[in-house]
């Protein structure tokens, strides 16, 4: 069962990539209604509690780690609210290493079922609408740069995804 009010660490993107992704997300959400959330890739969590010690560790982590390139797999969807429609991301060695290093700052569920993706819509949507949508979206043929990490408060009961603090990767 998912915890309703928790904290997660997200990866965020530079201005140009964010704008490109937001344009795609707007097209998707014009067809598949969704609550608002910032464009991101979920990296780690959930954390039931966080403190200033963890925030300082996260800040130091960002200062000592560089931005990474995420290899794009393409558009995909599932019949799950938080994976309703998304861009799949390759679970590369560098991404696995980044997650493992964050795990060492403050343990979370490091299960092998991590499926990296950039969500474009949350909700319950018809498969037919999702399939039709894919052919109307731009091709994804370049890696996407992840240049920040952020601590995010999530309360799914009220559709809240609030970035509390973000840190530029070095």
């Amino acid at each position: 069962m998912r915890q309703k009010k928790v904290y997660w660490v997200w990866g965020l993107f530079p201005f140009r990539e964010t704008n490109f992704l937001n344009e795609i997300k707007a097209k998707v959400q014009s067809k598949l209604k969704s609550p608002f959330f910032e464009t991101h890739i979920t990296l780690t969590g959930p954390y039931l509690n966080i403190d200033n010690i963890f925030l300082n560790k996260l800040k130091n982590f960002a200062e000592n780690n560089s931005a990474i390139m995420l290899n794009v797999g393409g558009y995909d969807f599932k019949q799950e609210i938080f994976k309703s429609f998304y861009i799949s991301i390759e679970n590369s060695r560098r991404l696995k290493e980044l997650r493992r290093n964050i795990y060492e700052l403050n343990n979370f569920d490091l299960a092998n079922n991590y499926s990296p993706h950039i969500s474009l819509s949350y909700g319950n949507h018809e498969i037919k609408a999702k399939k039709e949508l894919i052919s109307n979206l731009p091709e994804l043929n370049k890696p996407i740069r992840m240049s920040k990490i952020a601590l995010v408060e999530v309360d799914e009961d009220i559709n809240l995804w609030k970035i509390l603090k973000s840190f530029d990767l070095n």
Side-chain angles (χ1 to χ4, degrees), residues 53-68:
I53 294 170
F54 178 59
L55 268 177
N56 286 332
K57 287 180 181 179
L58 209 54
K59 179 183 179 200
N60 289 336
F61 177 85
E63 290 171 354
N64 292 297
N65 284 272
S66 58
I68 68 170

Side-chain angles (χ1 to χ4, degrees), residues 71 89-96 99 112 114-116:
N71 297 319
I89 300 296
E90 176 191 328
N91 197 5
S92 66
R93 186 171 45 106
R94 177 71 176 103
L95 184 55
K96 288 176 186 175
R99 292 184 74 241
N112 290 327
Y114 179 62
S115 174

Side-chain angles (χ1 to χ4, degrees), residues 47 49-51 54 57 101-108:
Y47 301 99
N49 299 299
I50 51 110
D51 56 22
F54 178 59
K57 287 180 181 179
N101 291 340
I102 295 172
Y103 172 83
E104 291 175 9
L105 302 179
N106 191 352
N107 296 0
F108 61 94

Side-chain angles (χ1 to χ4, degrees), residues 38-155:
E38 297 289 340
T39 304
H40 69 280
I41 179 170
T42 299
L43 296 173
T44 67
Y47 301 99
L48 299 180
N49 299 299
I50 51 110
D51 56 22
N52 284 333
I53 294 170
F54 178 59
L55 268 177
N56 286 332
K57 287 180 181 179
L58 209 54
K59 179 183 179 200
N60 289 336
F61 177 85
E63 290 171 354
N64 292 297
N65 284 272
S66 58
I68 68 170
M69 299 306 289
L70 302 173
N71 297 319
V72 176
Y75 300 105
D76 206 351
F77 57 85
K78 292 188 177 175
Q79 290 304 100
E80 297 176 27
I81 291 174
F82 298 108
K83 290 185 185 171
S84 182
F85 197 91
Y86 58 91
I87 297 169
S88 65
I89 300 296
E90 176 191 328
N91 197 5
S92 66
R93 186 171 45 106
R94 177 71 176 103
L95 184 55
K96 288 176 186 175
E97 180 182 291
L98 183 90
R99 292 184 74 241
R100 195 171 29 258
N101 291 340
I102 295 172
Y103 172 83
E104 291 175 9
L105 302 179
N106 191 352
N107 296 0
F108 61 94
D109 181 8
L110 192 60
N112 290 327
N113 63 352
Y114 179 62
S115 174
H117 64 281
I118 300 169
S119 289
L120 299 173
S121 182
Y122 293 160
N124 293 310
H125 305 104
E126 296 291 326
I127 292 174
K128 182 181 178 200
K130 296 177 193 183
K131 286 181 178 178
E132 289 173 0
L133 188 54
I134 288 176
S135 63
N136 294 316
L137 295 174
E139 275 191 46
L140 300 168
N141 52 14
K142 293 182 183 172
I144 296 171
R145 186 170 183 259
M146 187 188 82
S147 60
K148 293 182 181 188
I149 55 174
L151 182 67
V152 182
E153 178 183 358
V154 175
D155 189 335

Side-chain angles (χ1 to χ4, degrees), residues 2-53:
R2 287 179 74 109
Q3 294 287 328
K4 295 298 182 183
K5 186 170 181 180
V6 291
Y7 302 90
W8 296 81
V9 175
W10 286 358
L12 304 176
F13 315 101
F15 184 77
R16 188 179 335 155
E17 280 92 335
T18 298
N19 280 348
F20 174 70
L21 293 168
N22 283 344
E23 286 175 15
I24 296 170
K25 189 167 79 166
K27 281 184 183 180
V28 169
Q29 291 186 7
S30 73
K31 303 292 183 195
L32 306 175
K33 299 303 175 215
S34 173
F36 175 79
F37 56 91
E38 297 289 340
T39 304
H40 69 280
I41 179 170
T42 299
L43 296 173
T44 67
Y47 301 99
L48 299 180
N49 299 299
I50 51 110
D51 56 22
N52 284 333
I53 294 170

